[in-house]
Amino acid sequence: MDKYCVFGNPIAHSKSPEIHAAYAAQTGQPLAYEKWLAPLDGFAATVQAFIAAGGKGANVTVPFKLEAHKLATALTVRAQAAGAVNTLLFGDDGSITGDNTDGAGLVADIVQNAGVPISGKRVLLLGAGGAARGVVLPILEHRPAALVIANRTVATAEALVEQFGALAGPGVLSACGYAAVQGAYDIIINATSASLSADLPPVPAGAFAPGALALDMMYGAQPTVFMQFAASHGAVARDGLGMLVEQAAEAFHLWRGVRPQTGPVLQQLRAKL
C-alpha cells in the first residue's frame, strides 16, 4: 500500500485525506493518505521521516510551501513560476520533485466546474502574495484579454508583472493599487487572506460586470464577505472548495498517472460544509 500525506501546521482541519480517499476508491488505486503535523522548525526532518517510513508523495499546506520549494531537488515549470510548492513526489533514487497544482486547480474549477472560459476575458486578481503568484501562469496560459493584478502595495503586484510579462501578450498583464482599478471585469479572483478575518479587500463595486464570476479562494459553510459583496453587485459568487478539490486531483494525477472525476467529490464535500 503506497503512502501519501499532507504536511501542515495546523493540520487537523485538512480535508485532503477525505478527498484522496475518495479518489483512491473511485480509481481503484491502492494507497493510504494521512495528515502529518510538522513542527514549525522541523519541516525538512519531518519530510525525511515520512520518506523513510515509505512515503511516495505528499501535499504541503500552510506554512511550509516556501520550505517545500527549497527542499525539492527538481521543480516543475509551474512550481518555479509560483515560487512555492504544494505537491511533492519522492523518487526511489532519493529525488524530491516539487510541483504547484494550486493554479491549475483554480483554472480547472473556473473553466470546467463553473463553465466560464478565461480566453478573451478581462480578469482581475486581488492580492499579490503567494496565493496570487501561484495562479498567474495558469491564467495566462488560457490567454485572457487582460489580467490586472491589484494589491495594497503596488510594487509587489508590479514585481509579478515583471516576472510574468514576457509570457503574456503586449498590454495583457498590468498592476495597480485597489483605488486605481478601472472598468468592469468578467472574472474577479480574491487571492487575499481578507476572508479569514471576515474582511473585504477594497475592490470597487464597479469592477463586477453584470453576471461576472467572483471567486474567493477561501471557503466555509457560509458565503464569505467578498462573495456577499460580489453577489450584491450582480456577480455570480463562488468559493474556493472547487479549487481545493481540483488541485488535489492534479496532485493525484502526478502521483498515480490517473485523473479522477472531481464532480462527485466536490458534491460530497459541499454537502458536509
Side-chain angles (χ1 to χ4, degrees):
M1 182 80 74
D2 290 343
K3 286 186 181 179
Y4 298 87
C5 78
V6 55
F7 294 110
N9 188 329
I11 200 61
H13 66 286
S14 175
K15 297 189 187 307
S16 292
E18 187 181 342
I19 295 171
H20 285 282
Y23 289 160
Q26 182 196 106
T27 58
Q29 291 288 311
L31 62 89
Y33 187 108
E34 55 194 21
K35 303 172 192 178
W36 273 52
L37 178 70
L40 294 176
D41 58 354
F43 174 70
T46 307
V47 172
Q48 294 299 343
F50 181 66
I51 293 171
K56 297 288 185 187
N59 290 124
V60 181
T61 187
V62 176
F64 300 119
K65 292 184 184 184
L66 296 179
E67 283 189 66
H69 183 272
K70 285 187 198 141
L71 187 67
T73 58
L75 294 168
T76 63
V77 171
R78 58 193 183 185
Q80 287 174 38
V85 159
N86 78 332
T87 303
L88 296 169
L89 176 65
F90 308 128
D92 294 334
D93 57 355
S95 64
I96 300 176
T97 302
D99 194 5
N100 190 308
T101 66
D102 284 331
L106 174 80
V107 165
D109 186 53
I110 291 172
V111 175
Q112 291 161 31
N113 298 335
V116 175
I118 294 171
S119 175
K121 298 292 180 69
R122 283 172 52 79
V123 183
L124 176 63
L125 182 61
L126 306 174
R133 185 173 168 167
V135 304
V136 174
L137 178 62
I139 290 171
L140 288 177
E141 285 173 342
H142 278 251
R143 298 280 170 247
L147 173 57
V148 177
I149 304 171
N151 195 50
R152 271 199 176 84
T153 310
V154 181
T156 313
E158 284 171 343
L160 289 186
V161 172
E162 182 87 6
Q163 180 185 348
F164 294 102
L167 303 170
V172 169
L173 188 60
S174 61
C176 66
Y178 287 118
V181 171
Q182 289 181 328
Y185 292 82
D186 306 299
I187 302 169
I188 302 96
I189 300 162
N190 183 15
T192 74
S193 56
S195 295
L196 289 176
S197 49
D199 208 354
L200 181 71
V203 56
F208 301 93
L213 176 68
L215 189 146
D216 196 329
M217 288 191 183
M218 305 298 163
Y219 65 88
Q222 302 301 321
T224 64
V225 175
F226 170 79
M227 290 168 67
Q228 292 171 36
F229 180 77
S232 71
H233 291 96
V236 176
R238 187 172 183 85
D239 68 10
L241 193 64
M243 176 183 176
L244 176 74
V245 169
E246 293 293 342
Q247 65 79 25
E250 195 75 19
F252 192 91
H253 181 250
L254 176 76
W255 296 329
R256 311 301 297 181
V258 180
R259 191 171 288 284
Q261 296 294 313
T262 54
V265 180
L266 179 53
Q267 281 181 329
Q268 180 185 320
L269 283 185
R270 176 77 63 205
K272 289 183 182 174
L273 278 186

